[in-house]
Amino acid sequence: MRRSILLAGLALIAAPLAAQTQPPALPAPPIGAPKRFSVPASESYQLPNGMGVTLIPYGNAPKVTVVLQVYAGNLEEGRDTWLADLTGDMLKEGAGARDSAALATAAAGMGGNLGVRVSSTGTSISMSGLSEFAPQAVALVGDVARRPAFPASEFARVKANSARSLAQMLAQPGMLADYALARATYGDHPYARTMPTPAQLDGYTLDQVKRFYATNFGAQRARLYIAGRFDPAAVKAAVRQAFGDWQKGPARLSLVPTAAPGPRMVLVDRPEAPQSTIRLSWPAPLAGSEGDIPMRVANALLGGSFSSRITRNIREDKGYTYSPGSGISQRPGDAAWTFDADVTTAVTGPSLKEVFQEIRTLQSTPPGDAEAAGMRSYNAGLFVLRSSDSASLIGQLATRDALGLPADWLDRYVPATMAVTDAQFSSAIRDALPLDKFTLVVVGDLAKVKPQLDALPELKGVPVQTVTVP
């Protein structure tokens, strides 16, 4: 009875609502012009031992961020894959007279935290905290960089943590696809070795870690960035105290890879996998080259933003996948555009068909004014957003310096983005993504996927290799 009364009540409420006329949709608000971004006034100088220093007074909050970038990462480890990562992990286990707990306590006492991150091109040691502790933050970063304890008692635990991470990665099809793509693209270059084997990782010794540190860390490979609110005189004195007598060490390593040209198709079998993991890649314009900015903007329209054409097509319209996307990775002398997606096994072929079609369409037909203007503004606004706090600003500066870009590169980014013409959307994709030169990686159930791939015209005659990874 109570249910009947409730339904009746709902009907009385719903009837007038249904009778109401829906108001017309409001027009989309006009897209505003993005603000021009200018790097805040900064001071850069070099210590006598060759270490670079950049000070950036920035923002109003009483905070400071200190980042030491050392050009010693996976590039320098040769065939000892992840030795740089192990070295970075061990840096946090103790430095000077402090163990790992004391390091964390010291950072927390300054209102911040300490971090170490290793990438293919370097190791960054970072510390954020309250402005009044800026000199102490510099000293703490200096301790970690220059006086690591490398305690033998912690090495087995650190290596075990890495082994767990490796086991997790080996179970993820996306990681397998990335590995297969890197190996196919870079051959014997360190960039090709993104994961060690479990036996290789298990065999590393603490002496190897110490040798990697001793061989690759030094002032000539380091640059210190300090951004936020701080006393410049006190900070400069702290920098001299912490790093002034650091040995020069080796010069920065230059080992530019040569990406193997496509076309090629690399397959990794995962029987009974419900999804296929796709990587579709080409070399991209180098950072700072003539085609760089147009390609970045065109990528946002093609697959690099949530409202991109590929996303709207295979996610929103067809429901083939949840999170497709494309992006451009850039390292010194190297750049690549890569599309990635996890798609339902049964629609692996149809998904790729749509991706190729979107590329082909953009290559031949420039976007309309509204779509192009929206993507220019999106890219410019995203750039400004990514430079809006001390840590992200340091990230932009460090990337600029690592790639060897001109000092005014960041200041010119927004105007250059807004100057990309509608026609350049097409020419950028046409020049960078020739449909007969790609590298395609598919990780999935090949018994179900291969017939779908064989049916695609774009893959006719393309060399196929079935591999295991790592």
Side-chain angles (χ1 to χ4, degrees):
M1 176 62 77
R2 280 187 296 178
R3 183 170 183 273
S4 299
I5 295 174
L6 176 62
L7 291 175
L10 289 174
L12 290 172
I13 295 172
L17 289 176
Q20 291 178 354
T21 302
Q22 292 294 323
L26 296 173
I31 299 174
K35 292 183 178 180
R36 182 163 183 154
F37 174 80
S38 297
V39 176
S42 62
E43 178 182 358
S44 292
Y45 60 98
Q46 199 170 49
L47 298 180
N49 57 15
M51 191 179 100
V53 182
T54 298
L55 309 179
I56 316 117
Y58 188 60
N60 296 315
K63 297 183 65 177
V64 67
T65 300
V66 179
V67 177
L68 179 70
Q69 176 69 25
V70 184
Y71 295 118
N74 302 119
L75 179 69
E76 285 75 17
E77 65 193 9
R79 295 182 178 279
D80 296 327
T81 308
W82 279 21
L83 188 57
D85 302 80
L86 276 180
T87 304
D89 290 339
M90 286 300 294
L91 290 178
K92 295 183 289 186
E93 294 301 323
R98 299 184 178 100
D99 61 14
S100 59
L103 285 175
T105 300
M110 300 178 208
N113 54 70
L114 179 71
V116 178
R117 178 178 174 275
V118 177
S119 69
S120 61
T121 55
T123 298
S124 63
I125 303 168
S126 62
M127 169 71 202
S128 62
L130 299 173
S131 293
E132 62 198 90
F133 297 112
Q136 291 91 329
V138 171
L140 189 66
V141 170
D143 261 356
V144 173
R146 296 194 51 199
R147 284 174 283 280
F150 294 131
S153 59
E154 308 300 329
F155 186 59
R157 177 180 54 79
V158 168
K159 205 162 63 167
N161 288 339
S162 295
R164 279 191 288 273
S165 297
L166 178 60
Q168 292 174 350
M169 293 173 71
L170 290 172
Q172 298 175 30
M175 293 296 176
L176 303 182
D178 290 338
Y179 187 100
L181 176 61
R183 189 169 61 185
T185 304
Y186 297 114
D188 197 38
H189 191 275
Y191 290 166
R193 295 183 281 272
T194 59
M195 289 188 289
T197 64
Q200 182 183 14
L201 178 62
D202 185 58
Y204 290 143
T205 67
L206 185 58
D207 284 342
Q208 284 178 280
V209 169
K210 291 179 179 178
R211 278 199 299 273
F212 179 84
Y213 172 82
T215 304
N216 291 290
F217 277 62
Q220 282 194 109
R221 285 191 176 179
R223 186 168 196 91
L224 184 69
Y225 300 87
I226 302 171
R229 307 305 303 174
F230 54 86
D231 178 344
V235 163
K236 285 182 179 180
V239 171
R240 286 195 301 273
Q241 178 69 26
F243 297 101
D245 61 348
W246 198 5
Q247 295 298 309
K248 281 189 173 182
R252 184 179 176 186
L253 176 65
S254 176
L255 190 59
V256 176
T258 300
R264 69 172 70 82
M265 182 162 46
V266 181
L267 306 178
V268 181
D269 195 15
R270 292 188 78 228
E272 306 301 324
Q275 292 189 135
S276 296
T277 298
I278 295 172
R279 300 288 185 270
L280 183 63
S281 184
W282 282 264
L286 297 179
S289 67
E290 183 178 355
D292 181 12
I293 297 296
M295 185 60 192
R296 297 192 197 206
V297 182
N299 168 64
L301 186 148
L302 179 62
S305 66
F306 192 74
S307 58
S308 72
R309 290 184 176 183
I310 291 177
T311 300
R312 280 183 280 147
N313 184 337
I314 65 173
R315 181 186 191 277
E316 301 298 313
D317 295 345
K318 299 187 174 61
Y320 289 164
T321 179
Y322 182 72
S323 55
S326 65
I328 302 169
S329 60
Q330 294 176 321
R331 293 179 286 210
D334 174 63
W337 180 92
T338 303
F339 165 79
D340 62 86
D342 293 295
V343 304
T344 305
T345 297
V347 294
T348 304
S351 297
L352 278 168
K353 176 185 175 183
E354 296 301 325
V355 172
F356 282 125
Q357 181 58 40
E358 292 294 352
I359 293 173
R360 187 179 291 109
T361 298
L362 186 54
Q363 286 178 336
S364 61
T365 308
D369 290 342
E371 188 181 22
M375 286 301 166
R376 284 190 288 265
S377 293
Y378 168 81
N379 236 41
L382 190 62
F383 173 83
V384 175
L385 187 65
R386 288 175 174 170
S387 309
S388 59
D389 60 60
S390 296
S392 57
L393 178 60
I394 287 177
Q396 296 275 31
L397 293 170
T399 300
R400 178 200 65 185
D401 296 340
L403 292 172
L405 295 170
D408 64 346
W409 166 257
L410 299 178
D411 296 313
R412 291 192 283 113
Y413 188 92
V414 171
T417 296
M418 298 307 293
V420 173
T421 66
D422 298 358
Q424 282 180 294
F425 281 77
S426 289
S427 60
I429 297 299
R430 191 166 55 244
D431 295 343
L433 311 184
L435 287 173
D436 59 346
K437 298 294 184 185
F438 58 80
T439 296
L440 170 66
V441 175
V442 179
V443 179
D445 186 343
L446 298 188
K448 299 173 182 174
V449 168
K450 188 64 166 50
Q452 300 177 49
L453 301 179
D454 290 340
L456 292 176
E458 290 83 358
L459 303 184
K460 294 292 184 187
V462 172
V464 182
Q465 186 180 14
T466 301
V467 302
T468 58
V469 289

